[in-house]
Amino acid sequence: NAGVTQTPKFQVLKTGQSMTLQCAQDMNHEYMSWYRQDPGMGLRLIHYSVGAGITDQGEVPNGYNVSRSTTEDFPLRLLSAAPSQTSVYFCASITLLGTGGSEAFFGQGTRLTVV
Amino acid sequence: AQRVTQPEKLLSVFKGAPVELKCNYSYSGSPELFWYVQYSRQRLQLLLRHISRESIKGFTADLNKGETSFHLKKPFAQEEDSAMYYCALSGPDTNAGKSTFGDGTTLTVKP
């Protein structure tokens, strides 16, 4: 059982280049999210999805696009990379708890540098 | 609006000393509180959640609704406890399973 798999682990982009960060989960969770992790700023939600075909913006969505064609996959696209997008990106697969809250299972992260 | 505050960005203790990582929250309903841990170069993983009332790796956390706190404690810190710790909140009002995370506390346990 792999859980949440992210690729690539590391990436260097030039300003203006585009790329897609891949995320796949095998836990059959409906909810998935993308976070970015920056020093001193914790984890900030970029986009999330409540199921195949349904996505919504989080706290810091600008510069990123997502789609959710299947339950398993939730790719994050950078259309035109900027140095401000240098960060560590985490994908999470989320299960809802019976009490109404939720628990997140994270991928191993993608360390992205934009030069 | 929901909010999680971890007032200490860095915390350093000696091995064998007690450690407490502070977490305060703001939430209008009944929240679920969690502690996640990230060891060096590893993924974030759940350490414990308040509803299970369990002790993991010697850590405990008690939800204090009066003080809106969920501090993480361990009586005797070990070097392998050195990591980044995130407090997180979710609840029935959290849209579609989103969680709110604090800014994190980096714990260093010195030998």
Side-chain angles (χ1 to χ4, degrees), chain A residues 41-67:
Chain A
M41 303 185 77
L43 289 169
R44 293 183 291 169
L45 182 66
I46 305 170
H47 284 285
Y48 67 102
S49 170
V50 304
I54 307 170
T55 64
D56 205 348
Q57 295 180 349
E59 181 185 357
V60 288
N62 293 339
Y64 308 95
N65 279 350
V66 293
S67 60

PDB file of all heavy atoms in Angstrom, chain A residues 41-67:
ATOM      1  N   MET A  41       6.340  30.130   7.483  1.00  0.00           N
ATOM      2  CA  MET A  41       4.953  30.359   7.058  1.00  0.00           C
ATOM      3  C   MET A  41       4.125  29.094   7.139  1.00  0.00           C
ATOM      4  O   MET A  41       2.966  29.075   6.740  1.00  0.00           O
ATOM      5  CB  MET A  41       4.922  30.927   5.642  1.00  0.00           C
ATOM      6  CG  MET A  41       5.715  32.216   5.511  1.00  0.00           C
ATOM      7  SD  MET A  41       5.583  32.979   3.908  1.00  0.00           S
ATOM      8  CE  MET A  41       3.968  33.712   4.038  1.00  0.00           C
ATOM      9  N   GLY A  42       4.713  28.035   7.603  1.00  0.00           N
ATOM     10  CA  GLY A  42       3.957  26.810   7.788  1.00  0.00           C
ATOM     11  C   GLY A  42       3.463  26.232   6.480  1.00  0.00           C
ATOM     12  O   GLY A  42       4.088  26.378   5.434  1.00  0.00           O
ATOM     13  N   LEU A  43       2.340  25.574   6.550  1.00  0.00           N
ATOM     14  CA  LEU A  43       1.712  24.966   5.391  1.00  0.00           C
ATOM     15  C   LEU A  43       0.553  25.840   4.937  1.00  0.00           C
ATOM     16  O   LEU A  43      -0.334  26.167   5.731  1.00  0.00           O
ATOM     17  CB  LEU A  43       1.179  23.574   5.750  1.00  0.00           C
ATOM     18  CG  LEU A  43       2.197  22.487   5.985  1.00  0.00           C
ATOM     19  CD1 LEU A  43       1.535  21.267   6.582  1.00  0.00           C
ATOM     20  CD2 LEU A  43       2.893  22.112   4.692  1.00  0.00           C
ATOM     21  N   ARG A  44       0.543  26.165   3.682  1.00  0.00           N
ATOM     22  CA  ARG A  44      -0.555  26.971   3.139  1.00  0.00           C
ATOM     23  C   ARG A  44      -1.243  26.201   2.026  1.00  0.00           C
ATOM     24  O   ARG A  44      -0.593  25.659   1.139  1.00  0.00           O
ATOM     25  CB  ARG A  44      -0.020  28.319   2.635  1.00  0.00           C
ATOM     26  CG  ARG A  44       0.492  29.218   3.758  1.00  0.00           C
ATOM     27  CD  ARG A  44       0.946  30.560   3.212  1.00  0.00           C
ATOM     28  NE  ARG A  44       2.150  30.434   2.398  1.00  0.00           N
ATOM     29  CZ  ARG A  44       2.636  31.408   1.642  1.00  0.00           C
ATOM     30  NH1 ARG A  44       1.989  32.578   1.561  1.00  0.00           N
ATOM     31  NH2 ARG A  44       3.735  31.204   0.951  1.00  0.00           N
ATOM     32  N   LEU A  45      -2.562  26.203   2.068  1.00  0.00           N
ATOM     33  CA  LEU A  45      -3.358  25.437   1.129  1.00  0.00           C
ATOM     34  C   LEU A  45      -3.428  26.143  -0.213  1.00  0.00           C
ATOM     35  O   LEU A  45      -3.785  27.321  -0.298  1.00  0.00           O
ATOM     36  CB  LEU A  45      -4.767  25.242   1.696  1.00  0.00           C
ATOM     37  CG  LEU A  45      -5.739  24.417   0.880  1.00  0.00           C
ATOM     38  CD1 LEU A  45      -5.272  22.969   0.796  1.00  0.00           C
ATOM     39  CD2 LEU A  45      -7.131  24.478   1.494  1.00  0.00           C
ATOM     40  N   ILE A  46      -3.105  25.421  -1.283  1.00  0.00           N
ATOM     41  CA  ILE A  46      -3.117  25.988  -2.628  1.00  0.00           C
ATOM     42  C   ILE A  46      -4.470  25.712  -3.306  1.00  0.00           C
ATOM     43  O   ILE A  46      -5.187  26.624  -3.692  1.00  0.00           O
ATOM     44  CB  ILE A  46      -1.973  25.415  -3.484  1.00  0.00           C
ATOM     45  CG1 ILE A  46      -0.623  25.618  -2.797  1.00  0.00           C
ATOM     46  CG2 ILE A  46      -1.965  26.066  -4.872  1.00  0.00           C
ATOM     47  CD1 ILE A  46       0.517  24.877  -3.472  1.00  0.00           C
ATOM     48  N   HIS A  47      -4.765  24.447  -3.500  1.00  0.00           N
ATOM     49  CA  HIS A  47      -6.025  24.006  -4.079  1.00  0.00           C
ATOM     50  C   HIS A  47      -6.460  22.717  -3.385  1.00  0.00           C
ATOM     51  O   HIS A  47      -5.611  22.007  -2.824  1.00  0.00           O
ATOM     52  CB  HIS A  47      -5.883  23.715  -5.575  1.00  0.00           C
ATOM     53  CG  HIS A  47      -5.813  24.917  -6.448  1.00  0.00           C
ATOM     54  ND1 HIS A  47      -6.911  25.685  -6.760  1.00  0.00           N
ATOM     55  CD2 HIS A  47      -4.755  25.472  -7.083  1.00  0.00           C
ATOM     56  CE1 HIS A  47      -6.538  26.677  -7.562  1.00  0.00           C
ATOM     57  NE2 HIS A  47      -5.231  26.573  -7.773  1.00  0.00           N
ATOM     58  N   TYR A  48      -7.715  22.435  -3.455  1.00  0.00           N
ATOM     59  CA  TYR A  48      -8.174  21.157  -2.934  1.00  0.00           C
ATOM     60  C   TYR A  48      -9.311  20.630  -3.801  1.00  0.00           C
ATOM     61  O   TYR A  48      -9.872  21.345  -4.633  1.00  0.00           O
ATOM     62  CB  TYR A  48      -8.593  21.267  -1.468  1.00  0.00           C
ATOM     63  CG  TYR A  48      -9.820  22.097  -1.208  1.00  0.00           C
ATOM     64  CD1 TYR A  48     -11.053  21.497  -0.965  1.00  0.00           C
ATOM     65  CD2 TYR A  48      -9.753  23.485  -1.156  1.00  0.00           C
ATOM     66  CE1 TYR A  48     -12.173  22.254  -0.705  1.00  0.00           C
ATOM     67  CE2 TYR A  48     -10.874  24.243  -0.895  1.00  0.00           C
ATOM     68  CZ  TYR A  48     -12.078  23.635  -0.664  1.00  0.00           C
ATOM     69  OH  TYR A  48     -13.194  24.377  -0.398  1.00  0.00           O
ATOM     70  N   SER A  49      -9.629  19.368  -3.567  1.00  0.00           N
ATOM     71  CA  SER A  49     -10.657  18.701  -4.362  1.00  0.00           C
ATOM     72  C   SER A  49     -11.509  17.814  -3.456  1.00  0.00           C
ATOM     73  O   SER A  49     -10.972  17.126  -2.580  1.00  0.00           O
ATOM     74  CB  SER A  49     -10.003  17.857  -5.452  1.00  0.00           C
ATOM     75  OG  SER A  49     -10.955  17.031  -6.086  1.00  0.00           O
ATOM     76  N   VAL A  50     -12.802  17.854  -3.692  1.00  0.00           N
ATOM     77  CA  VAL A  50     -13.716  17.037  -2.887  1.00  0.00           C
ATOM     78  C   VAL A  50     -14.159  15.787  -3.624  1.00  0.00           C
ATOM     79  O   VAL A  50     -14.978  15.028  -3.119  1.00  0.00           O
ATOM     80  CB  VAL A  50     -14.930  17.851  -2.420  1.00  0.00           C
ATOM     81  CG1 VAL A  50     -14.486  19.078  -1.648  1.00  0.00           C
ATOM     82  CG2 VAL A  50     -15.792  18.273  -3.601  1.00  0.00           C
ATOM     83  N   GLY A  51     -13.624  15.591  -4.815  1.00  0.00           N
ATOM     84  CA  GLY A  51     -13.949  14.396  -5.581  1.00  0.00           C
ATOM     85  C   GLY A  51     -13.617  14.617  -7.038  1.00  0.00           C
ATOM     86  O   GLY A  51     -13.292  15.736  -7.461  1.00  0.00           O
ATOM     87  N   ALA A  52     -13.682  13.554  -7.804  1.00  0.00           N
ATOM     88  CA  ALA A  52     -13.367  13.643  -9.231  1.00  0.00           C
ATOM     89  C   ALA A  52     -14.243  14.700  -9.895  1.00  0.00           C
ATOM     90  O   ALA A  52     -15.458  14.724  -9.712  1.00  0.00           O
ATOM     91  CB  ALA A  52     -13.558  12.286  -9.893  1.00  0.00           C
ATOM     92  N   GLY A  53     -13.599  15.595 -10.628  1.00  0.00           N
ATOM     93  CA  GLY A  53     -14.302  16.639 -11.344  1.00  0.00           C
ATOM     94  C   GLY A  53     -14.599  17.882 -10.553  1.00  0.00           C
ATOM     95  O   GLY A  53     -15.132  18.859 -11.099  1.00  0.00           O
ATOM     96  N   ILE A  54     -14.232  17.902  -9.263  1.00  0.00           N
ATOM     97  CA  ILE A  54     -14.565  19.042  -8.403  1.00  0.00           C
ATOM     98  C   ILE A  54     -13.300  19.553  -7.701  1.00  0.00           C
ATOM     99  O   ILE A  54     -12.651  18.814  -6.966  1.00  0.00           O
ATOM    100  CB  ILE A  54     -15.598  18.666  -7.330  1.00  0.00           C
ATOM    101  CG1 ILE A  54     -16.820  18.015  -7.965  1.00  0.00           C
ATOM    102  CG2 ILE A  54     -16.006  19.903  -6.531  1.00  0.00           C
ATOM    103  CD1 ILE A  54     -17.770  17.414  -6.970  1.00  0.00           C
ATOM    104  N   THR A  55     -12.972  20.815  -7.975  1.00  0.00           N
ATOM    105  CA  THR A  55     -11.828  21.424  -7.310  1.00  0.00           C
ATOM    106  C   THR A  55     -12.199  22.821  -6.824  1.00  0.00           C
ATOM    107  O   THR A  55     -13.184  23.411  -7.304  1.00  0.00           O
ATOM    108  CB  THR A  55     -10.608  21.536  -8.240  1.00  0.00           C
ATOM    109  OG1 THR A  55     -10.931  22.418  -9.327  1.00  0.00           O
ATOM    110  CG2 THR A  55     -10.201  20.176  -8.799  1.00  0.00           C
ATOM    111  N   ASP A  56     -11.404  23.338  -5.914  1.00  0.00           N
ATOM    112  CA  ASP A  56     -11.654  24.683  -5.411  1.00  0.00           C
ATOM    113  C   ASP A  56     -10.354  25.279  -4.928  1.00  0.00           C
ATOM    114  O   ASP A  56      -9.363  24.569  -4.699  1.00  0.00           O
ATOM    115  CB  ASP A  56     -12.682  24.681  -4.286  1.00  0.00           C
ATOM    116  CG  ASP A  56     -13.402  26.014  -4.157  1.00  0.00           C
ATOM    117  OD1 ASP A  56     -12.949  27.014  -4.776  1.00  0.00           O
ATOM    118  OD2 ASP A  56     -14.401  26.070  -3.434  1.00  0.00           O
ATOM    119  N   GLN A  57     -10.345  26.609  -4.819  1.00  0.00           N
ATOM    120  CA  GLN A  57      -9.138  27.320  -4.434  1.00  0.00           C
ATOM    121  C   GLN A  57      -8.942  27.306  -2.925  1.00  0.00           C
ATOM    122  O   GLN A  57      -9.894  27.332  -2.151  1.00  0.00           O
ATOM    123  CB  GLN A  57      -9.222  28.767  -4.920  1.00  0.00           C
ATOM    124  CG  GLN A  57      -9.247  28.903  -6.429  1.00  0.00           C
ATOM    125  CD  GLN A  57      -9.321  30.350  -6.872  1.00  0.00           C
ATOM    126  OE1 GLN A  57      -9.548  31.251  -6.067  1.00  0.00           O
ATOM    127  NE2 GLN A  57      -9.103  30.575  -8.153  1.00  0.00           N
ATOM    128  N   GLY A  58      -7.676  27.294  -2.558  1.00  0.00           N
ATOM    129  CA  GLY A  58      -7.330  27.425  -1.153  1.00  0.00           C
ATOM    130  C   GLY A  58      -6.859  28.831  -0.834  1.00  0.00           C
ATOM    131  O   GLY A  58      -7.357  29.808  -1.392  1.00  0.00           O
ATOM    132  N   GLU A  59      -5.896  28.924   0.029  1.00  0.00           N
ATOM    133  CA  GLU A  59      -5.420  30.215   0.530  1.00  0.00           C
ATOM    134  C   GLU A  59      -4.526  30.948  -0.475  1.00  0.00           C
ATOM    135  O   GLU A  59      -4.565  32.174  -0.584  1.00  0.00           O
ATOM    136  CB  GLU A  59      -4.652  29.974   1.834  1.00  0.00           C
ATOM    137  CG  GLU A  59      -4.092  31.197   2.511  1.00  0.00           C
ATOM    138  CD  GLU A  59      -3.255  30.830   3.736  1.00  0.00           C
ATOM    139  OE1 GLU A  59      -3.174  29.626   4.077  1.00  0.00           O
ATOM    140  OE2 GLU A  59      -2.665  31.739   4.338  1.00  0.00           O
ATOM    141  N   VAL A  60      -3.709  30.186  -1.224  1.00  0.00           N
ATOM    142  CA  VAL A  60      -2.731  30.797  -2.133  1.00  0.00           C
ATOM    143  C   VAL A  60      -2.801  30.151  -3.512  1.00  0.00           C
ATOM    144  O   VAL A  60      -1.859  29.519  -3.986  1.00  0.00           O
ATOM    145  CB  VAL A  60      -1.300  30.703  -1.544  1.00  0.00           C
ATOM    146  CG1 VAL A  60      -1.125  31.646  -0.391  1.00  0.00           C
ATOM    147  CG2 VAL A  60      -0.971  29.259  -1.140  1.00  0.00           C
ATOM    148  N   PRO A  61      -3.899  30.343  -4.268  1.00  0.00           N
ATOM    149  CA  PRO A  61      -4.084  29.619  -5.534  1.00  0.00           C
ATOM    150  C   PRO A  61      -3.422  30.267  -6.751  1.00  0.00           C
ATOM    151  O   PRO A  61      -3.264  29.593  -7.787  1.00  0.00           O
ATOM    152  CB  PRO A  61      -5.598  29.646  -5.698  1.00  0.00           C
ATOM    153  CG  PRO A  61      -5.997  30.957  -5.063  1.00  0.00           C
ATOM    154  CD  PRO A  61      -5.066  31.142  -3.895  1.00  0.00           C
ATOM    155  N   ASN A  62      -3.039  31.529  -6.648  1.00  0.00           N
ATOM    156  CA  ASN A  62      -2.560  32.234  -7.846  1.00  0.00           C
ATOM    157  C   ASN A  62      -1.285  31.621  -8.405  1.00  0.00           C
ATOM    158  O   ASN A  62      -0.322  31.379  -7.690  1.00  0.00           O
ATOM    159  CB  ASN A  62      -2.313  33.712  -7.525  1.00  0.00           C
ATOM    160  CG  ASN A  62      -3.610  34.444  -7.216  1.00  0.00           C
ATOM    161  OD1 ASN A  62      -4.695  33.993  -7.591  1.00  0.00           O
ATOM    162  ND2 ASN A  62      -3.512  35.562  -6.532  1.00  0.00           N
ATOM    163  N   GLY A  63      -1.292  31.388  -9.708  1.00  0.00           N
ATOM    164  CA  GLY A  63      -0.149  30.805 -10.384  1.00  0.00           C
ATOM    165  C   GLY A  63      -0.202  29.299 -10.516  1.00  0.00           C
ATOM    166  O   GLY A  63       0.708  28.697 -11.089  1.00  0.00           O
ATOM    167  N   TYR A  64      -1.264  28.701  -9.975  1.00  0.00           N
ATOM    168  CA  TYR A  64      -1.403  27.242  -9.980  1.00  0.00           C
ATOM    169  C   TYR A  64      -2.768  26.832 -10.534  1.00  0.00           C
ATOM    170  O   TYR A  64      -3.767  27.483 -10.271  1.00  0.00           O
ATOM    171  CB  TYR A  64      -1.294  26.677  -8.570  1.00  0.00           C
ATOM    172  CG  TYR A  64      -0.075  27.104  -7.789  1.00  0.00           C
ATOM    173  CD1 TYR A  64      -0.130  28.194  -6.915  1.00  0.00           C
ATOM    174  CD2 TYR A  64       1.129  26.415  -7.902  1.00  0.00           C
ATOM    175  CE1 TYR A  64       0.969  28.592  -6.191  1.00  0.00           C
ATOM    176  CE2 TYR A  64       2.239  26.806  -7.169  1.00  0.00           C
ATOM    177  CZ  TYR A  64       2.152  27.898  -6.322  1.00  0.00           C
ATOM    178  OH  TYR A  64       3.256  28.282  -5.598  1.00  0.00           O
ATOM    179  N   ASN A  65      -2.756  25.732 -11.279  1.00  0.00           N
ATOM    180  CA  ASN A  65      -4.000  25.132 -11.729  1.00  0.00           C
ATOM    181  C   ASN A  65      -4.048  23.674 -11.300  1.00  0.00           C
ATOM    182  O   ASN A  65      -3.006  23.017 -11.199  1.00  0.00           O
ATOM    183  CB  ASN A  65      -4.110  25.182 -13.259  1.00  0.00           C
ATOM    184  CG  ASN A  65      -4.581  26.541 -13.735  1.00  0.00           C
ATOM    185  OD1 ASN A  65      -4.995  27.386 -12.949  1.00  0.00           O
ATOM    186  ND2 ASN A  65      -4.509  26.745 -15.024  1.00  0.00           N
ATOM    187  N   VAL A  66      -5.247  23.170 -11.086  1.00  0.00           N
ATOM    188  CA  VAL A  66      -5.419  21.752 -10.764  1.00  0.00           C
ATOM    189  C   VAL A  66      -6.581  21.189 -11.550  1.00  0.00           C
ATOM    190  O   VAL A  66      -7.434  21.925 -12.048  1.00  0.00           O
ATOM    191  CB  VAL A  66      -5.683  21.517  -9.258  1.00  0.00           C
ATOM    192  CG1 VAL A  66      -4.462  21.863  -8.415  1.00  0.00           C
ATOM    193  CG2 VAL A  66      -6.903  22.300  -8.796  1.00  0.00           C
ATOM    194  N   SER A  67      -6.611  19.879 -11.637  1.00  0.00           N
ATOM    195  CA  SER A  67      -7.744  19.155 -12.197  1.00  0.00           C
ATOM    196  C   SER A  67      -7.847  17.833 -11.464  1.00  0.00           C
ATOM    197  O   SER A  67      -6.880  17.368 -10.868  1.00  0.00           O
ATOM    198  CB  SER A  67      -7.568  18.935 -13.698  1.00  0.00           C
ATOM    199  OG  SER A  67      -6.393  18.173 -13.962  1.00  0.00           O
TER     200      SER A  67
END
